[in-house]
Amino acid sequence: MKRPGPLLTLLAGLVLGLFMLTLNATSGTKTVSSSTQREASPSASPKKSANPSPTPTVTPSPTPSKSPVANASYAGRTGDDTASVAVTVRDGKAVAYFCDGRYKEAWLRGPVKDDGSMKLTAPNGAVLDGKIEQGKKIRGTVKDEGRKYAFTADKAVKPSGLWRATAKVRGAKIDGGWIVLPNGRQTGIVTRDGKAASAPRIDPETGAVTVDGQQLTAQPVTP
């Protein structure tokens, strides 16, 4: 009987080869799996920086709107009671009349500031400085022919206020101005071709007035 040595050796080598092949296959699978896992593992997310606090928006305080000076008329007397003063305010402008009822008069005009103050001037050089106080009255001064007159003019409601009439009467140029005070008192001058004289009374309800026998109609004066 022949000895089985070579056959056993061959079988042993075959078994060893299969074992090694199986081991390699198993190791390769594990290696690929491990590599795949490493590739599939998400990379560490970069640390997110905290969002900076938003810069607070500073809203400027609204500038208080200035109320325009209300349209109104004012009429009063000087402190020494020698003359009357009337002022009419419309849309930030003013016209005024200073009159002593005999021979002295001045028509003045100018702007009114938001605080109610005004400086009005006349062609003859007269100047009125005044200020509206709470929409109820005007206090100020009129400087005319080198003399200064303090005055107070209260708010006037028609028919009181400032009136004027211009016309040609018997060839003469007539220019009349009237101040009607809240108590009904009137002061006025009519100039005939530049010559001043006391004015006749007007009807403050209608403005009707008769000058040198001719009836005229005076109108409220506005700037």
Side-chain angles (χ1 to χ4, degrees), residues 165-191:
T166 57
K168 276 257 186 180
V169 177
R170 298 179 182 178
K173 183 179 178 181
I174 301 297
D175 187 0
W178 290 265
I179 297 173
V180 180
L181 301 178
N183 62 7
R185 183 178 179 181
Q186 295 187 15
T187 307
I189 286 179
V190 170
T191 60

Side-chain angles (χ1 to χ4, degrees), residues 15-27:
V15 171
L16 180 60
L18 290 174
F19 175 79
M20 293 299 295
L21 179 62
T22 301
L23 181 61
N24 288 338
T26 303
S27 299

Side-chain angles (χ1 to χ4, degrees), residues 93-155:
K93 298 179 181 179
V95 58
Y97 185 49
F98 168 76
C99 170
D100 70 355
R102 296 175 295 163
Y103 64 90
K104 185 176 292 187
E105 67 174 351
W107 289 96
L108 310 100
R109 297 178 183 272
V112 180
K113 296 182 179 180
D114 290 338
D115 64 355
S117 62
M118 63 189 78
K119 184 172 185 177
L120 314 181
T121 58
N124 69 349
V127 177
L128 182 153
D129 285 291
K131 186 173 183 179
I132 301 171
E133 297 182 355
Q134 299 178 344
K136 296 179 179 180
K137 62 181 63 181
I138 296 177
R139 293 185 190 273
T141 60
V142 174
K143 186 176 181 180
D144 183 53
E145 297 180 350
R147 183 178 173 183
K148 186 175 286 189
Y149 303 81
F151 74 90
T152 300
D154 294 321
K155 191 171 184 179

Side-chain angles (χ1 to χ4, degrees), residues 57-68:
T57 302
V58 179
T59 304
S61 301
T63 302
S65 58
K66 296 181 178 180
S67 300

Side-chain angles (χ1 to χ4, degrees), residues 33-45:
S33 175
S34 176
S35 175
T36 302
Q37 289 177 357
R38 285 197 301 270
E39 291 178 0
S41 299
S43 58
S45 299

Side-chain angles (χ1 to χ4, degrees), residues 85-96:
V85 179
V87 182
T88 301
V89 177
R90 292 290 185 277
D91 302 326
K93 298 179 181 179
V95 58

